[in-house]
Coordinates of all heavy atoms in Angstrom, one line a residue:
I19 N 42.0 217.5 -27.4 CA 42.3 218.9 -27.4 C 43.7 219.2 -27.9 O 44.0 220.1 -28.6 CB 42.1 219.5 -26.0 CG1 40.6 219.5 -25.6 CG2 42.7 220.9 -25.9 CD1 40.3 220.0 -24.2
T20 N 44.7 218.3 -27.5 CA 46.1 218.5 -27.9 C 46.2 218.3 -29.4 O 46.9 219.1 -30.1 CB 46.9 217.4 -27.2 OG1 46.8 217.5 -25.8 CG2 48.4 217.6 -27.6
Q21 N 45.4 217.4 -30.0 CA 45.5 217.1 -31.4 C 44.9 218.3 -32.2 O 45.4 218.8 -33.2 CB 44.7 215.9 -31.8 CG 44.8 215.5 -33.3 CD 44.0 214.3 -33.6 OE1 43.2 213.8 -32.8 NE2 44.1 213.8 -34.8
M22 N 43.8 218.9 -31.7 CA 43.1 220.0 -32.3 C 44.1 221.3 -32.2 O 44.2 222.0 -33.2 CB 41.8 220.3 -31.6 CG 40.7 219.3 -31.9 SD 39.2 219.5 -31.0 CE 38.6 221.0 -31.7
K23 N 44.8 221.4 -31.1 CA 45.7 222.5 -30.9 C 46.8 222.4 -31.9 O 47.3 223.4 -32.6 CB 46.3 222.6 -29.5 CG 47.2 223.7 -29.3 CD 47.8 223.7 -27.9 CE 48.7 224.9 -27.8 NZ 49.4 224.9 -26.5
S24 N 47.3 221.2 -32.1 CA 48.4 220.9 -33.1 C 48.0 221.2 -34.5 O 48.7 221.9 -35.3 CB 48.9 219.5 -33.0 OG 49.8 219.2 -33.9
T25 N 46.8 220.8 -34.8 CA 46.2 221.1 -36.2 C 46.0 222.5 -36.4 O 46.4 223.1 -37.4 CB 44.9 220.3 -36.3 OG1 45.1 218.9 -36.1 CG2 44.3 220.6 -37.7
F26 N 45.5 223.2 -35.4 CA 45.3 224.7 -35.4 C 46.7 225.4 -35.7 O 46.8 226.3 -36.5 CB 44.7 225.2 -34.1 CG 44.6 226.7 -34.1 CD1 43.6 227.3 -34.8 CD2 45.4 227.4 -33.3 CE1 43.5 228.7 -34.8 CE2 45.3 228.8 -33.2 CZ 44.4 229.4 -33.9
E27 N 47.7 225.0 -34.9 CA 49.0 225.6 -35.1 C 49.6 225.4 -36.5 O 50.2 226.3 -37.0 CB 49.9 225.2 -34.0 CG 49.6 225.7 -32.6 CD 50.4 225.1 -31.5 OE1 51.2 224.2 -31.7 OE2 50.3 225.6 -30.4
K28 N 49.4 224.2 -37.0 CA 49.9 223.9 -38.4 C 49.2 224.8 -39.4 O 49.8 225.3 -40.3 CB 49.7 222.5 -38.7 CG 50.7 221.5 -38.0 CD 50.4 220.1 -38.3 CE 51.3 219.1 -37.5 NZ 51.0 217.7 -37.8
K29 N 47.9 224.9 -39.2 CA 47.1 225.8 -40.1 C 47.5 227.2 -40.0 O 47.5 228.0 -41.0 CB 45.6 225.6 -39.9 CG 45.1 224.2 -40.4 CD 43.6 224.0 -40.2 CE 43.2 222.7 -40.8 NZ 41.8 222.5 -40.7
M30 N 47.7 227.7 -38.8 CA 48.2 229.1 -38.6 C 49.5 229.3 -39.2 O 49.8 230.4 -39.8 CB 48.3 229.4 -37.1 CG 46.9 229.5 -36.4 SD 45.9 230.9 -37.0 CE 46.9 232.3 -36.4
Q31 N 50.4 228.3 -39.1 CA 51.7 228.5 -39.8 C 51.6 228.5 -41.3 O 52.2 229.3 -41.9 CB 52.6 227.3 -39.4 CG 54.0 227.3 -40.0 CD 54.9 228.5 -39.6 OE1 54.7 229.0 -38.5 NE2 55.7 228.9 -40.5
R32 N 50.7 227.7 -41.8 CA 50.5 227.7 -43.3 C 49.9 229.0 -43.7 O 50.3 229.6 -44.7 CB 49.5 226.5 -43.6 CG 49.2 226.5 -45.1 CD 50.3 226.0 -45.9 NE 49.8 225.9 -47.3 CZ 50.5 226.2 -48.4 NH1 51.8 226.7 -48.2 NH2 50.0 226.1 -49.5
Q33 N 49.0 229.6 -42.9 CA 48.4 230.9 -43.2 C 49.4 231.9 -43.2 O 49.5 232.8 -44.1 CB 47.3 231.2 -42.3 CG 46.6 232.5 -42.6 CD 45.5 232.9 -41.6 OE1 45.3 232.2 -40.6 NE2 44.8 234.0 -41.9
H34 N 50.3 231.9 -42.3 CA 51.4 232.9 -42.2 C 52.3 232.8 -43.4 O 52.7 233.8 -44.0 CB 52.2 232.7 -40.9 CG 53.3 233.6 -40.7 ND1 53.2 235.0 -40.5 CD2 54.7 233.4 -40.8 CE1 54.3 235.6 -40.4 NE2 55.3 234.6 -40.6
E35 N 52.7 231.6 -43.8 CA 53.5 231.4 -45.0 C 52.8 231.9 -46.2 O 53.4 232.6 -47.1 CB 53.8 229.9 -45.2 CG 54.7 229.3 -44.1 CD 54.8 227.8 -44.2 OE1 54.2 227.2 -45.0 OE2 55.5 227.2 -43.3
L36 N 51.5 231.7 -46.4 CA 50.8 232.2 -47.5 C 50.7 233.7 -47.5 O 50.8 234.3 -48.6 CB 49.4 231.6 -47.6 CG 49.3 230.1 -47.9 CD1 47.9 229.5 -47.8 CD2 49.8 229.8 -49.4
N37 N 50.5 234.3 -46.4 CA 50.4 235.7 -46.3 C 51.8 236.3 -46.7 O 51.8 237.4 -47.3 CB 50.1 236.2 -44.8 CG 48.6 236.0 -44.5 OD1 47.8 236.0 -45.4 ND2 48.3 236.0 -43.2
E38 N 52.9 235.7 -46.3 CA 54.2 236.2 -46.7 C 54.4 236.1 -48.2 O 54.9 237.0 -48.8 CB 55.3 235.4 -45.9 CG 55.4 235.7 -44.5 CD 55.9 237.2 -44.2 OE1 56.8 237.6 -44.8 OE2 55.3 237.8 -43.3
S39 N 54.0 235.0 -48.8 CA 54.3 234.8 -50.2 C 53.3 235.6 -51.1 O 53.6 235.9 -52.2 CB 54.2 233.3 -50.6 OG 52.9 232.9 -50.5
C40 N 52.2 236.0 -50.5 CA 51.2 236.8 -51.3 C 51.1 238.2 -50.9 O 50.2 238.9 -51.3 CB 49.8 236.1 -51.2 SG 49.8 234.4 -51.9
G41 N 52.0 238.7 -50.0 CA 52.0 240.0 -49.5 C 52.3 241.0 -50.6 O 52.9 240.7 -51.7
T42 N 52.1 242.3 -50.3 CA 52.4 243.3 -51.3 C 53.8 243.5 -51.6 O 54.2 243.7 -52.8 CB 51.8 244.7 -50.8 OG1 52.4 245.0 -49.5 CG2 50.3 244.7 -50.7
S43 N 54.7 243.3 -50.7 CA 56.1 243.4 -51.0 C 56.6 242.3 -51.8 O 57.4 242.5 -52.7 CB 56.9 243.6 -49.7 OG 56.8 242.4 -48.9
A44 N 56.1 241.1 -51.5 CA 56.5 239.9 -52.4 C 56.0 240.1 -53.8 O 56.7 239.8 -54.7 CB 56.0 238.6 -51.7
L45 N 54.8 240.6 -53.9 CA 54.2 240.8 -55.2 C 55.0 241.8 -56.0 O 55.2 241.6 -57.2 CB 52.7 241.2 -55.1 CG 51.9 241.5 -56.4 CD1 51.9 240.2 -57.3 CD2 50.5 241.9 -56.0
Q46 N 55.3 242.9 -55.3 CA 56.1 243.9 -56.0 C 57.5 243.4 -56.4 O 57.9 243.7 -57.5 CB 56.3 245.1 -55.0 CG 56.9 246.3 -55.7 CD 57.0 247.5 -54.7 OE1 56.9 247.3 -53.5 NE2 57.3 248.6 -55.3
A47 N 58.1 242.6 -55.6 CA 59.4 242.0 -56.0 C 59.3 241.1 -57.2 O 60.1 241.2 -58.1 CB 60.0 241.3 -54.8
R48 N 58.2 240.3 -57.2 CA 58.0 239.4 -58.3 C 57.7 240.2 -59.6 O 58.2 239.8 -60.7 CB 56.8 238.4 -58.1 CG 57.3 237.3 -57.2 CD 56.2 236.2 -57.1 NE 56.0 235.9 -55.8 CZ 54.8 235.9 -55.1 NH1 53.7 236.3 -55.7 NH2 54.8 235.6 -53.8
L49 N 57.0 241.3 -59.5 CA 56.7 242.1 -60.7 C 58.0 242.7 -61.2 O 58.2 242.8 -62.4 CB 55.7 243.2 -60.4 CG 54.2 242.8 -60.4 CD1 53.4 244.0 -59.9 CD2 53.8 242.5 -61.9
K50 N 58.8 243.2 -60.3 CA 60.1 243.8 -60.7 C 61.0 242.8 -61.4 O 61.6 243.1 -62.5 CB 60.8 244.4 -59.5 CG 62.1 245.1 -59.8 CD 62.6 245.7 -58.5 CE 62.8 247.2 -58.8 NZ 63.1 248.0 -57.6
V51 N 61.1 241.6 -60.9 CA 61.9 240.5 -61.5 C 61.4 240.1 -62.8 O 62.1 240.0 -63.8 CB 62.0 239.3 -60.5 CG1 62.6 238.1 -61.2 CG2 62.8 239.7 -59.3
A52 N 60.1 240.0 -62.9 CA 59.4 239.6 -64.2 C 59.6 240.6 -65.3 O 59.9 240.3 -66.4 CB 58.0 239.3 -64.0
A53 N 59.5 241.9 -64.9 CA 59.7 243.0 -65.8 C 61.2 243.0 -66.3 O 61.5 243.1 -67.5 CB 59.4 244.3 -65.2
H54 N 62.1 242.8 -65.4 CA 63.5 242.7 -65.8 C 63.8 241.6 -66.7 O 64.6 241.7 -67.7 CB 64.4 242.7 -64.5 CG 65.9 242.7 -64.8 ND1 66.5 243.8 -65.2 CD2 66.8 241.7 -64.7 CE1 67.8 243.5 -65.4 NE2 68.0 242.2 -65.1
E55 N 63.3 240.4 -66.4 CA 63.5 239.2 -67.3 C 62.9 239.5 -68.7 O 63.6 239.1 -69.7 CB 62.8 238.0 -66.7 CG 63.6 237.5 -65.4 CD 62.8 236.4 -64.7 OE1 61.6 236.1 -65.1 OE2 63.4 235.8 -63.8
T56 N 61.8 240.1 -68.8 CA 61.2 240.3 -70.1 C 62.0 241.4 -70.8 O 62.1 241.3 -72.0 CB 59.7 240.8 -69.9 OG1 59.0 239.9 -69.1 CG2 59.0 240.9 -71.2
E57 N 62.5 242.3 -70.1 CA 63.4 243.3 -70.8 C 64.6 242.7 -71.3 O 65.1 243.0 -72.4 CB 63.7 244.4 -69.8 CG 64.5 245.6 -70.4 CD 64.7 246.7 -69.4 OE1 64.7 246.5 -68.2 OE2 64.9 247.9 -69.9
E58 N 65.2 241.8 -70.6 CA 66.4 241.0 -71.1 C 66.1 240.2 -72.3 O 66.8 240.2 -73.2 CB 67.0 240.1 -70.0 CG 67.7 240.9 -68.9 CD 68.3 240.0 -67.8 OE1 68.1 238.7 -67.9 OE2 69.0 240.5 -66.9
E59 N 64.9 239.6 -72.3 CA 64.5 238.8 -73.5 C 64.3 239.7 -74.7 O 64.7 239.3 -75.8 CB 63.2 238.1 -73.2 CG 63.3 237.0 -72.2 CD 61.9 236.4 -71.8 OE1 60.9 236.7 -72.4 OE2 61.9 235.6 -70.8
S60 N 63.8 240.9 -74.5 CA 63.6 241.8 -75.6 C 65.0 242.3 -76.1 O 65.2 242.5 -77.3 CB 62.7 243.0 -75.3 OG 63.3 243.8 -74.4
D61 N 65.9 242.5 -75.2 CA 67.3 242.9 -75.6 C 67.9 241.8 -76.4 O 68.6 242.1 -77.4 CB 68.1 243.2 -74.3 CG 67.7 244.5 -73.7 OD1 67.0 245.3 -74.3 OD2 68.1 244.7 -72.5
N62 N 67.7 240.5 -76.0 CA 68.3 239.4 -76.8 C 67.7 239.3 -78.2 O 68.4 239.0 -79.2 CB 68.0 238.1 -76.0 CG 68.9 238.0 -74.8 OD1 69.9 238.7 -74.6 ND2 68.4 237.1 -73.8
I63 N 66.4 239.6 -78.3 CA 65.7 239.6 -79.6 C 66.3 240.7 -80.4 O 66.6 240.5 -81.6 CB 64.2 239.7 -79.4 CG1 63.6 238.5 -78.7 CG2 63.5 240.0 -80.7 CD1 62.1 238.7 -78.3
E64 N 66.5 241.8 -79.8 CA 67.1 243.0 -80.5 C 68.5 242.6 -81.0 O 68.9 242.9 -82.2 CB 67.2 244.2 -79.6 CG 67.7 245.4 -80.3 CD 67.8 246.6 -79.3 OE1 67.6 246.4 -78.1 OE2 68.1 247.7 -79.7
E65 N 69.3 242.0 -80.2 CA 70.7 241.6 -80.6 C 70.7 240.6 -81.7 O 71.5 240.7 -82.7 CB 71.4 241.1 -79.4 CG 71.8 242.1 -78.4 CD 72.5 241.5 -77.1 OE1 72.9 240.3 -77.2 OE2 72.5 242.2 -76.1
D66 N 69.8 239.6 -81.6 CA 69.7 238.7 -82.7 C 69.3 239.3 -84.0 O 69.8 239.0 -85.1 CB 68.6 237.6 -82.4 CG 69.1 236.6 -81.3 OD1 70.3 236.6 -81.0 OD2 68.2 235.9 -80.8
F67 N 68.4 240.3 -84.0 CA 68.0 241.0 -85.2 C 69.2 241.8 -85.8 O 69.5 241.8 -87.0 CB 66.9 242.0 -85.0 CG 66.5 242.8 -86.1 CD1 66.0 242.3 -87.3 CD2 66.8 244.2 -86.1 CE1 65.7 243.1 -88.3 CE2 66.5 245.0 -87.2 CZ 65.9 244.5 -88.3
L68 N 69.9 242.5 -84.9 CA 71.1 243.3 -85.3 C 72.2 242.5 -85.9 O 73.0 242.9 -86.7 CB 71.6 244.2 -84.2 CG 70.6 245.3 -83.7 CD1 71.2 246.0 -82.5 CD2 70.4 246.3 -84.9
E69 N 72.3 241.2 -85.4 CA 73.3 240.3 -85.9 C 72.8 239.6 -87.2 O 73.6 238.8 -87.7 CB 73.7 239.3 -84.8 CG 74.4 239.9 -83.7 CD 74.6 239.0 -82.5 OE1 74.2 237.8 -82.6 OE2 75.2 239.4 -81.5
G70 N 71.6 239.8 -87.6 CA 71.1 239.2 -88.8 C 70.6 237.8 -88.6 O 70.4 237.1 -89.6
K71 N 70.3 237.4 -87.4 CA 69.8 236.1 -87.1 C 68.3 235.9 -87.3 O 67.8 234.8 -87.4 CB 70.2 235.6 -85.7 CG 71.7 235.5 -85.4 CD 71.9 235.1 -84.0 CE 73.4 235.1 -83.8 NZ 73.7 234.8 -82.3
T72 N 67.6 237.0 -87.3 CA 66.1 237.0 -87.5 C 65.7 238.0 -88.5 O 66.4 239.0 -88.7 CB 65.3 237.3 -86.2 OG1 65.7 238.5 -85.7 CG2 65.6 236.2 -85.2
D73 N 64.6 237.7 -89.2 CA 64.1 238.7 -90.2 C 63.3 239.8 -89.5 O 62.9 239.7 -88.4 CB 63.4 238.0 -91.4 CG 62.1 237.3 -90.9 OD1 61.6 237.6 -89.8 OD2 61.6 236.5 -91.7
I74 N 63.0 240.8 -90.3 CA 62.3 242.0 -89.7 C 60.9 241.7 -89.1 O 60.5 242.2 -88.1 CB 62.3 243.2 -90.6 CG1 61.8 244.4 -89.9 CG2 61.4 242.9 -91.8 CD1 62.4 245.7 -90.4
D75 N 60.1 240.8 -89.9 CA 58.8 240.5 -89.4 C 58.8 239.7 -88.1 O 58.0 240.0 -87.2 CB 58.1 239.6 -90.5 CG 57.8 240.4 -91.7 OD1 57.6 241.7 -91.6 OD2 57.7 239.8 -92.8
D76 N 59.7 238.7 -87.9 CA 59.8 238.0 -86.7 C 60.3 238.9 -85.6 O 59.8 238.9 -84.4 CB 60.8 236.8 -86.8 CG 60.2 235.7 -87.7 OD1 59.0 235.7 -87.9 OD2 61.0 234.9 -88.2
F77 N 61.2 239.8 -85.9 CA 61.7 240.7 -84.9 C 60.6 241.7 -84.4 O 60.4 241.8 -83.2 CB 62.9 241.6 -85.5 CG 63.2 242.8 -84.7 CD1 63.9 242.7 -83.5 CD2 62.8 244.1 -85.1 CE1 64.2 243.8 -82.7 CE2 63.1 245.2 -84.3 CZ 63.8 245.1 -83.1
L78 N 59.9 242.3 -85.3 CA 58.9 243.2 -84.9 C 57.8 242.6 -84.0 O 57.4 243.1 -83.0 CB 58.2 243.9 -86.1 CG 59.1 244.9 -86.9 CD1 58.4 245.3 -88.1 CD2 59.4 246.0 -86.0
S79 N 57.3 241.4 -84.4 CA 56.3 240.8 -83.6 C 56.7 240.3 -82.3 O 56.1 240.6 -81.3 CB 55.7 239.6 -84.4 OG 56.6 238.6 -84.6
S80 N 57.9 239.7 -82.2 CA 58.4 239.2 -80.9 C 58.9 240.3 -80.0 O 58.6 240.3 -78.8 CB 59.4 238.1 -81.1 OG 60.5 238.6 -81.8
F81 N 59.6 241.3 -80.6 CA 60.1 242.4 -79.8 C 59.0 243.2 -79.2 O 59.0 243.6 -78.1 CB 61.0 243.3 -80.7 CG 61.7 244.4 -80.0 CD1 62.8 244.2 -79.2 CD2 61.2 245.7 -80.1 CE1 63.3 245.3 -78.5 CE2 61.7 246.7 -79.4 CZ 62.8 246.5 -78.6
M82 N 58.0 243.6 -80.1 CA 56.9 244.4 -79.6 C 56.1 243.7 -78.5 O 55.7 244.3 -77.5 CB 56.0 244.8 -80.7 CG 56.6 245.8 -81.7 SD 57.2 247.3 -80.9 CE 55.7 248.0 -80.4
E83 N 55.9 242.4 -78.6 CA 55.2 241.6 -77.6 C 56.0 241.7 -76.3 O 55.4 241.9 -75.2 CB 55.1 240.1 -78.1 CG 54.4 239.3 -77.1 CD 54.4 237.8 -77.5 OE1 54.8 237.5 -78.6 OE2 54.0 237.0 -76.6
K84 N 57.3 241.4 -76.3 CA 58.1 241.4 -75.1 C 58.1 242.8 -74.5 O 58.0 243.0 -73.2 CB 59.5 240.9 -75.3 CG 59.6 239.5 -75.7 CD 59.2 238.6 -74.6 CE 59.3 237.1 -75.1 NZ 58.8 236.2 -74.1
R85 N 58.3 243.9 -75.3 CA 58.3 245.2 -74.7 C 57.0 245.6 -74.1 O 56.9 246.3 -73.1 CB 58.7 246.2 -75.8 CG 60.2 246.0 -76.3 CD 61.2 246.0 -75.2 NE 61.3 247.3 -74.6 CZ 62.1 247.6 -73.6 NH1 62.9 246.7 -73.1 NH2 62.2 248.8 -73.1
T86 N 55.9 245.2 -74.8 CA 54.6 245.5 -74.2 C 54.4 244.9 -72.9 O 53.9 245.5 -71.9 CB 53.5 245.1 -75.2 OG1 53.7 245.7 -76.5 CG2 52.1 245.4 -74.7
I87 N 54.8 243.6 -72.8 CA 54.7 242.9 -71.5 C 55.5 243.6 -70.4 O 55.1 243.8 -69.3 CB 55.1 241.4 -71.7 CG1 54.0 240.7 -72.5 CG2 55.2 240.7 -70.3 CD1 54.5 239.3 -72.9
C88 N 56.7 243.9 -70.8 CA 57.6 244.6 -69.9 C 57.0 245.9 -69.4 O 57.0 246.2 -68.2 CB 59.0 244.9 -70.6 SG 60.2 245.7 -69.6
H89 N 56.5 246.7 -70.3 CA 55.9 248.0 -69.9 C 54.7 247.8 -69.0 O 54.5 248.6 -68.0 CB 55.6 248.9 -71.1 CG 56.9 249.4 -71.7 ND1 57.7 250.4 -71.1 CD2 57.4 249.1 -72.9 CE1 58.7 250.7 -71.9 NE2 58.6 249.9 -73.0
C90 N 53.9 246.8 -69.3 CA 52.7 246.5 -68.5 C 53.1 246.1 -67.1 O 52.5 246.6 -66.1 CB 51.9 245.4 -69.1 SG 51.0 246.0 -70.6
R91 N 54.1 245.3 -67.0 CA 54.6 244.9 -65.6 C 55.2 246.0 -64.9 O 55.0 246.2 -63.7 CB 55.6 243.7 -65.8 CG 55.0 242.5 -66.2 CD 55.9 241.3 -66.4 NE 55.2 240.1 -66.8 CZ 55.8 239.1 -67.3 NH1 57.1 239.0 -67.5 NH2 55.1 238.0 -67.6
R92 N 55.9 246.9 -65.5 CA 56.5 248.1 -64.8 C 55.4 249.0 -64.4 O 55.4 249.6 -63.3 CB 57.5 248.8 -65.7 CG 58.7 248.0 -66.0 CD 59.9 248.9 -66.2 NE 61.1 248.2 -66.7 CZ 61.9 247.5 -66.0 NH1 61.7 247.5 -64.7 NH2 62.9 246.8 -66.5
A93 N 54.3 249.2 -65.2 CA 53.2 250.0 -64.8 C 52.5 249.4 -63.6 O 52.1 250.2 -62.7 CB 52.3 250.2 -66.0
K94 N 52.3 248.1 -63.6 CA 51.7 247.5 -62.5 C 52.5 247.6 -61.2 O 52.0 247.9 -60.1 CB 51.4 246.0 -62.8 CG 50.3 245.8 -63.8 CD 50.2 244.3 -64.1 CE 49.1 244.1 -65.2 NZ 48.9 242.7 -65.5
E95 N 53.8 247.5 -61.4 CA 54.7 247.7 -60.2 C 54.6 249.1 -59.7 O 54.5 249.3 -58.4 CB 56.1 247.4 -60.6 CG 57.1 247.6 -59.5 CD 58.6 247.5 -60.0 OE1 58.8 247.3 -61.2 OE2 59.5 247.8 -59.2
E96 N 54.6 250.1 -60.5 CA 54.5 251.5 -60.1 C 53.1 251.7 -59.4 O 53.0 252.4 -58.4 CB 54.6 252.4 -61.3 CG 56.1 252.5 -61.8 CD 56.2 253.3 -63.1 OE1 55.3 254.1 -63.4 OE2 57.3 253.2 -63.7
K97 N 52.1 251.2 -60.0 CA 50.7 251.4 -59.4 C 50.7 250.7 -58.0 O 50.1 251.3 -57.1 CB 49.7 250.8 -60.3 CG 48.3 250.9 -59.9 CD 47.9 252.4 -59.8 CE 46.4 252.5 -59.4 NZ 46.0 253.9 -59.3
L98 N 51.2 249.6 -57.9 CA 51.3 248.9 -56.6 C 52.1 249.7 -55.6 O 51.7 249.9 -54.4 CB 51.9 247.5 -56.7 CG 51.9 246.7 -55.5 CD1 50.6 246.4 -54.9 CD2 52.6 245.3 -55.7
Q99 N 53.2 250.3 -56.0 CA 54.0 251.2 -55.2 C 53.1 252.4 -54.7 O 53.2 252.8 -53.5 CB 55.2 251.7 -55.9 CG 56.1 252.6 -55.0 CD 56.6 251.9 -53.8 OE1 57.0 250.7 -53.8 NE2 56.7 252.6 -52.7
Q100 N 52.3 252.9 -55.6 CA 51.5 254.1 -55.2 C 50.4 253.6 -54.2 O 50.2 254.4 -53.2 CB 50.8 254.6 -56.5 CG 51.7 255.4 -57.4 CD 50.9 255.8 -58.7 OE1 49.8 255.4 -58.9 NE2 51.6 256.6 -59.5
V101 N 49.9 252.5 -54.4 CA 48.9 252.0 -53.4 C 49.5 251.7 -52.1 O 48.9 252.1 -51.1 CB 48.2 250.7 -54.0 CG1 47.4 250.0 -52.9 CG2 47.4 251.0 -55.2
I102 N 50.7 251.2 -52.1 CA 51.4 250.9 -50.8 C 51.7 252.2 -50.1 O 51.5 252.4 -48.9 CB 52.7 250.1 -51.0 CG1 52.4 248.7 -51.5 CG2 53.5 250.1 -49.8 CD1 53.6 247.9 -52.0
A103 N 52.1 253.2 -50.9 CA 52.4 254.5 -50.3 C 51.2 255.2 -49.7 O 51.2 255.8 -48.7 CB 53.1 255.4 -51.3
T104 N 50.1 255.1 -50.5 CA 48.8 255.7 -50.0 C 48.4 255.1 -48.7 O 48.0 255.7 -47.8 CB 47.8 255.6 -51.1 OG1 48.2 256.2 -52.3 CG2 46.5 256.2 -50.7
H105 N 48.4 253.7 -48.7 CA 48.0 253.0 -47.5 C 48.9 253.3 -46.3 O 48.4 253.4 -45.2 CB 47.8 251.5 -47.7 CG 46.6 251.2 -48.5 ND1 45.4 251.1 -47.9 CD2 46.4 250.9 -49.8 CE1 44.5 250.8 -48.7 NE2 45.0 250.6 -49.9
S106 N 50.2 253.4 -46.5 CA 51.1 253.6 -45.4 C 51.0 255.1 -44.9 O 51.2 255.3 -43.8 CB 52.5 253.3 -45.8 OG 53.0 254.2 -46.8
Q107 N 50.6 256.0 -45.8 CA 50.4 257.4 -45.5 C 49.2 257.5 -44.4 O 49.3 258.3 -43.5 CB 50.1 258.2 -46.7 CG 49.8 259.6 -46.4 CD 49.5 260.4 -47.7 OE1 49.2 259.8 -48.7 NE2 49.5 261.7 -47.6
F108 N 48.2 256.6 -44.6 CA 47.1 256.7 -43.7 C 47.2 255.6 -42.6 O 46.2 255.3 -41.9 CB 45.8 256.5 -44.4 CG 45.5 257.6 -45.4 CD1 45.6 257.4 -46.7 CD2 45.2 258.9 -44.9 CE1 45.4 258.5 -47.6 CE2 44.9 259.9 -45.8 CZ 45.0 259.7 -47.1
H109 N 48.4 255.0 -42.5 CA 48.6 254.0 -41.5 C 47.7 252.8 -41.5 O 47.4 252.2 -40.5 CB 48.7 254.6 -40.1 CG 49.6 255.7 -40.0 ND1 51.0 255.5 -40.0 CD2 49.4 257.0 -39.8 CE1 51.6 256.7 -39.9 NE2 50.6 257.6 -39.8
A110 N 47.2 252.5 -42.7 CA 46.3 251.3 -42.8 C 47.1 250.1 -43.3 O 47.7 250.2 -44.3 CB 45.2 251.6 -43.8
P111 N 47.1 249.1 -42.5 CA 47.9 247.9 -42.9 C 47.2 247.2 -44.1 O 46.0 247.2 -44.2 CB 47.8 247.0 -41.7 CG 46.6 247.4 -40.9 CD 46.4 248.9 -41.2
L112 N 48.0 246.7 -45.0 CA 47.5 246.0 -46.2 C 47.4 244.5 -45.9 O 48.0 243.9 -45.1 CB 48.4 246.1 -47.4 CG 48.5 247.5 -48.0 CD1 49.5 247.6 -49.1 CD2 47.1 247.9 -48.5

């Protein structure tokens, strides 16, 4: 029984850790960071183009790709925020 209790407690701790890492606030924070990183990458691509380090075709393809990813991540972050607000309005835990 002691061994089973110990195993159970370890599994409960692991479940708690997974819930924390996969929770809505953690997901929202990761989306925010990822969007910011992608925006910085697109800014670097823009600077390289303005300094003449890349040609226009490479600039357009890579810049548009990064900006699209950035905007998608921001939209997902905003949608998640709306879902969180809706659920908290009705006091339903996520």
Side-chain angles (χ1 to χ4, degrees):
I19 292 176
T20 306
Q21 183 182 11
M22 290 174 70
K23 181 180 178 185
S24 175
T25 303
F26 175 75
E27 288 174 353
K28 287 178 184 177
K29 288 182 179 183
M30 288 296 292
Q31 178 64 28
R32 177 72 177 141
Q33 181 182 6
H34 178 71
E35 291 169 0
L36 290 173
N37 283 341
E38 288 293 317
S39 69
C40 298
T42 54
S43 59
L45 180 59
Q46 186 178 16
R48 280 191 227 125
L49 277 170
K50 185 176 233 168
V51 168
H54 182 71
E55 288 173 351
T56 308
E57 185 174 25
E58 285 182 358
E59 290 173 11
S60 70
D61 289 344
N62 292 338
I63 292 169
E64 180 183 10
E65 287 176 18
D66 287 347
F67 174 70
L68 292 174
E69 292 172 0
K71 295 179 182 177
T72 58
D73 63 16
I74 191 151
D75 292 330
D76 291 339
F77 165 73
L78 288 175
S79 64
S80 58
F81 182 79
M82 291 303 293
E83 177 186 355
K84 294 294 181 185
R85 293 306 290 181
T86 301
I87 292 170
C88 178
H89 288 291
C90 286
R91 288 176 177 167
R92 291 209 192 276
K94 288 178 183 181
E95 179 191 354
E96 289 174 12
K97 183 65 176 175
L98 182 59
Q99 180 62 37
Q100 289 174 353
V101 169
I102 292 169
T104 301
H105 281 281
S106 65
Q107 179 182 11
F108 295 108
H109 305 292
L112 289 177

